[in-house]
Amino acid sequence: MASLQDQLLKAGLANKQSANKIRSEKRKKNKAVRKKQVEADTSLQDEIDAKKQQQAAVDAEKNAVIKQALDKKSEQGKVKQMIAQLHIKDFEGELEYNYVLDGKVKRLLLNDVNHNALVKGRITVCHFDNVIYLLPTLAADKIAAVDEQYIVLQNDNQPTEVDEDDPYADFQIPDDLMW
């Protein structure tokens, strides 16, 4: 079965020139349609890529916030675990030690050994979940590296520099002085 164009040529109703002209126009038209689709496809692809990059940036920001929250929660868990394992349990005694917490002077009753250790800076007063704990200074330093808010009182056992012109330089403050 021949095409309609071949049948019209045999019947003499069309000539070869007009047939060739119609074929070339049809090819040009198809080619133009394909080019427009390709151009349309590339512009759509560019838009899709831009949206993907934008979404990836938004997702990265959300992930950073979530990671930061998880890290903070993990650090608080580590602090809680360190305090639970390393705090000094039997420190109550008759000697008073005063410290400041949230703008208020608080009182802590200590035994003689812990009082001297606190004064000399070997133990530290920490505050976690509205409870006061006594910790060794090394553990408190690790906790302070995470967050300073847990440390209430940490005496440094560094000797202070004495000014040469100080008239009270000869009078040392006793370690057992209570205020």
Side-chain angles (χ1 to χ4, degrees):
M1 182 177 233
S3 69
L4 179 62
Q5 190 176 26
D6 291 339
Q7 293 174 1
L8 292 174
L9 284 175
K10 280 185 186 178
L13 296 173
N15 59 15
K16 280 190 170 186
Q17 284 181 339
S18 63
N20 287 338
K21 188 176 179 183
I22 291 172
R23 273 191 217 136
S24 69
E25 286 177 9
K26 191 174 180 181
R27 267 196 324 258
K28 286 180 183 178
K29 186 178 177 184
N30 286 339
K31 191 174 184 181
V33 168
R34 284 192 307 248
K35 274 191 174 181
K36 286 182 182 177
Q37 281 182 339
V38 169
E39 289 175 6
D41 288 346
T42 57
S43 65
L44 286 175
Q45 189 64 32
D46 292 341
E47 290 177 19
I48 291 171
D49 290 341
K51 285 183 181 178
K52 282 183 181 179
Q53 288 176 350
Q54 194 176 31
Q55 185 65 33
V58 169
D59 289 345
E61 289 176 14
K62 287 180 182 178
N63 287 342
V65 169
I66 291 170
K67 186 178 184 309
Q68 187 178 19
L70 287 175
D71 288 345
K72 185 175 181 179
K73 193 171 185 179
S74 171
E75 288 175 352
Q76 286 179 342
K78 288 178 186 177
V79 167
K80 185 176 182 178
Q81 184 179 14
M82 284 180 67
I83 289 174
Q85 290 177 352
L86 300 174
H87 76 278
I88 299 170
K89 294 176 177 77
D90 297 324
F91 62 86
E92 293 186 11
E94 298 174 0
L95 298 175
E96 284 186 18
Y97 192 89
N98 297 320
Y99 62 95
V100 178
L101 178 64
D102 297 330
K104 297 179 183 176
V105 176
K106 302 285 183 167
R107 181 175 68 148
L108 190 62
L109 295 174
L110 301 170
N111 59 23
D112 191 34
V113 174
N114 289 322
H115 185 270
N116 288 335
L118 184 61
V119 168
K120 293 182 180 180
R122 288 180 285 176
I123 60 176
T124 303
V125 178
C126 295
H127 181 258
F128 187 77
D129 287 340
N130 297 325
V131 179
I132 296 297
Y133 296 98
L134 292 180
L135 292 171
T137 300
L138 294 174
D141 290 339
K142 291 179 184 178
I143 291 172
V146 171
D147 196 351
E148 285 281 331
Q149 73 175 354
Y150 299 116
I151 305 300
V152 174
L153 174 74
Q154 185 172 15
N155 292 327
D156 57 347
N157 55 359
Q158 303 295 329
T160 57
E161 294 181 16
V162 177
D163 190 14
E164 294 176 12
D165 296 335
D166 187 12
Y168 298 104
D170 295 335
F171 303 103
Q172 297 294 320
I173 299 173
D175 289 337
D176 61 347
L177 180 69
M178 290 184 242
W179 54 280

